[in-house]
Amino acid sequence: TPVEKESRMAGKRIGGLPLPSGVIVIAVIHLDLFTIPAENLCLEAGDRVFLLGPREKIQEVIALFAPAGHLA
């Protein structure tokens, strides 16, 4: 899931993301580096977030990453 420039998740720390139960962030591509993120990693526009969890809950999270004011 990409972190868009106007995403509500840009500027949030991994540990503070409002993820539904059963969904975890397993990796982030941040500044072109693939990393297993620590809870204090702050997401920035351009990052790509890799999630693990049930399909229906992943869809909820993708909607959270949509730019503010837009539907995913």
Side-chain angles (χ1 to χ4, degrees), residues 17-71:
L17 296 179
L19 300 177
S21 176
V23 176
I24 61 171
V25 176
I26 58 171
V28 173
I29 296 179
H30 181 73
L31 301 174
D32 293 328
L33 297 172
F34 186 89
T35 183
I36 297 171
E39 288 189 4
N40 65 350
L41 176 69
C42 189
L43 295 175
E44 298 177 11
D47 289 354
R48 293 198 54 86
V49 178
F50 295 82
L51 304 162
L52 180 65
R55 182 183 311 255
E56 63 279 359
K57 292 194 176 190
I58 296 293
Q59 292 303 319
E60 292 176 32
V61 176
I62 289 172
L64 293 174
F65 280 83
H70 293 84
L71 298 175

Side-chain angles (χ1 to χ4, degrees), residues 5-26:
K5 183 178 179 185
E6 300 295 324
S7 172
R8 295 168 284 191
M9 298 300 107
K12 297 223 184 265
R13 296 188 185 284
I14 293 291
L17 296 179
L19 300 177
S21 176
V23 176
I24 61 171
V25 176
I26 58 171

